Amino acid sequence: MPILQKALSAQYDVRKGLIWKDHANILDAAMRNSERWHNLEDDGLSDADIRKTFNQPVAMKIFAWNSNAKKDTVMTPLDSIKYHQQMLQTAFMVMDPITGAVKAWVGGIDFRHTSSTTQISTQNARWQLHQALPL
């Protein structure tokens, strides 16, 4: 997986950030679903003020393909979202075809950095299954 990730990250559109040009909705959804957004919203900040915080560099730990599976760095929370959204993932999921309940989930690179993505994917999987099943 690290070799494939390196090849993906080396692609021109990914390296230059052009991949996000037509996908601002993905970044917006990831920001709005983040713990940071919810905490600042609970503190009474407006959407515009919350968005500004996503462009201020902060120290953080991010997933990395190394022996620690993490790296200390300084980046904006928005750049962190872009970084983690570009990470290749592989997983296997078993779902009850009647209820849409997830029975088993195996995979993902690191739950500490991708738990919200997993939650969103699980919700999307249920919605897609519901749309596919006849009533």
Side-chain angles (χ1 to χ4, degrees):
M1 206 56 163
I3 294 168
L4 293 173
Q5 184 67 54
K6 188 174 183 178
L8 173 70
S9 298
Q11 292 181 11
Y12 182 80
D13 286 353
V14 175
R15 203 169 14 95
K16 296 292 185 182
L18 302 175
I19 195 168
W20 299 110
K21 181 180 176 191
D22 297 325
H23 302 289
N25 59 328
I26 293 172
L27 298 176
D28 188 61
M31 281 193 300
R32 289 181 173 276
N33 287 322
S34 71
E35 187 176 341
R36 173 184 295 275
W37 186 284
H38 293 296
N39 288 340
L40 293 172
E41 195 172 49
D42 289 346
D43 290 345
L45 271 69
S46 68
D47 285 5
D49 288 336
I50 294 172
R51 285 183 190 284
K52 287 178 189 174
T53 70
F54 277 84
N55 291 310
Q56 298 170 353
V58 295
M60 63 178 72
K61 293 182 188 309
I62 59 172
F63 176 82
W65 288 107
N66 60 27
S67 60
N68 296 328
K70 63 184 172 184
K71 175 171 93 172
D72 291 321
T73 190
V74 174
M75 64 172 53
T76 69
L78 182 57
D79 286 339
S80 172
I81 289 171
K82 291 175 182 178
Y83 175 82
H84 285 102
Q85 290 287 329
Q86 293 172 181
M87 283 290 172
L88 294 174
Q89 300 272 344
T90 184
F92 178 79
M93 181 186 70
V94 178
M95 184 185 327
D96 184 312
I98 305 300
T99 66
V102 175
K103 298 293 188 173
W105 186 290
V106 179
I109 53 177
D110 190 332
F111 72 93
R112 292 170 291 192
H113 299 287
T114 59
S115 59
S116 61
T117 304
T118 301
Q119 181 181 10
I120 293 165
S121 298
T122 302
Q123 291 167 355
N124 287 342
R126 287 182 183 159
W127 180 85
Q128 291 167 0
L129 179 66
H130 173 72
Q131 297 301 314
L133 293 175
L135 297 175

